[in-house]
Amino acid sequence: MSIGLLFGVMILHLIPDAFEDTNAALESLGLSTVYPLPSLLIGSGFFLVTLVEVMVSFHNGELHDCDNMFEHSTSVNGIYTMVFGLSAHSLFEGLAVGLQSSAADVWLLTAVIMIHKCLFALIMGISALRTLTVTQSAICLFVFSISSSVGVAIGTIIEAISEESPKMDLTVGVLESISTGTFVFVVFMELVPKGMDLHAQDALKTVVLVMIGFGIMAAFQALDLISG
């Protein structure tokens, strides 16, 4: 169901908001273009996270697969690279949360992020404890644990400042679009490939749960429009 929720958040909320906020900021600055700038920025965010993931995988000599991280991420440098990659990933996710303008959106995104981030924390924690000292492992886990919060703080500050400056509105739109690319990556490169095996025996059950998650998000979006 978490796949459907995050898919719904991305399709029904983050992408439309990125387009609306970026285009509105351009108009407030007297700028207009027929080029789909938000789409370019979302794609840039996707490839930014993809490059980080590829560098982490290349350094570890493996593809980024949650099932084999336990066995292959044994070098000290490999653990540090993993921490950097996952922390950068979490920073942009937190940034997306901080850029939201309503409390309901903040809590919804926070809940969805926590669901899929728990697995990463478990994998990285066990890998670190197998390779590093207890102190080093604690430092790595601390860095990873605060990365999302740092992103939220940055996004919140930028969102607050943007109310006083059209240029900051554009900054919010740009960062919002880039961070949305992070969620595109999470959905299509991590959750869908690993959580939706259409050839498995319980594939129908999985698809139904994903559809339920998406339906829940669609209902929330409809209620938000009605109440607004």
Side-chain angles (χ1 to χ4, degrees), residues 1 9 49 53 56 76 114 120 129 139 141 211 216 218 225:
M1 187 180 295
V9 169
V49 180
E53 293 283 330
V56 171
V76 173
M114 287 175 61
F120 291 148
L129 287 173
I139 293 174
L141 291 174
M211 291 173 64
I216 291 173
L225 291 174

Side-chain angles (χ1 to χ4, degrees), residues 14-137:
L14 293 180
I15 292 179
D17 278 4
F19 272 82
E20 180 180 354
D21 292 345
T22 303
N23 290 331
L26 289 173
E27 291 180 3
S28 67
L29 292 172
L31 303 174
S32 61
T33 176
V34 296
Y35 189 84
L37 180 60
S39 297
L40 174 65
L41 295 171
I42 292 172
S44 299
F46 174 86
F47 287 115
L48 176 63
V49 180
T50 302
L51 287 174
V52 173
E53 293 283 330
V54 169
M55 287 188 293
V56 171
S57 300
F58 178 77
H59 191 279
N60 291 337
E62 62 176 59
L63 294 176
H64 181 69
D65 189 340
C66 289
D67 293 332
N68 58 29
M69 269 189 180
F70 290 105
E71 300 177 3
H72 299 291
S73 294
T74 56
S75 70
V76 173
N77 289 335
I79 295 297
Y80 289 149
T81 307
M82 184 197 306
V83 172
F84 169 78
L86 293 178
S87 296
H89 190 163
S90 299
L91 181 70
F92 276 98
E93 289 182 337
L95 185 64
V97 174
L99 291 171
Q100 301 307 306
S101 55
S102 71
D105 294 336
V106 170
W107 285 113
L108 179 61
L109 282 180
T110 299
V112 174
I113 289 174
M114 287 175 61
I115 291 173
H116 87 274
K117 190 173 180 179
C118 288
L119 178 60
F120 291 148
L122 175 64
I123 291 172
M124 190 180 68
I126 294 178
S127 298
L129 287 173
R130 286 183 173 181
T131 306
L132 307 176
T133 65
V134 174
T135 301
Q136 291 172 328
S137 299

Side-chain angles (χ1 to χ4, degrees), residues 5-16 180 183-184 187-188:
L5 284 171
L6 192 56
F7 183 77
V9 169
M10 179 191 70
I11 294 292
L12 300 173
H13 182 69
L14 293 180
I15 292 179
T180 297
F183 280 81
V184 175
V187 171
F188 292 111

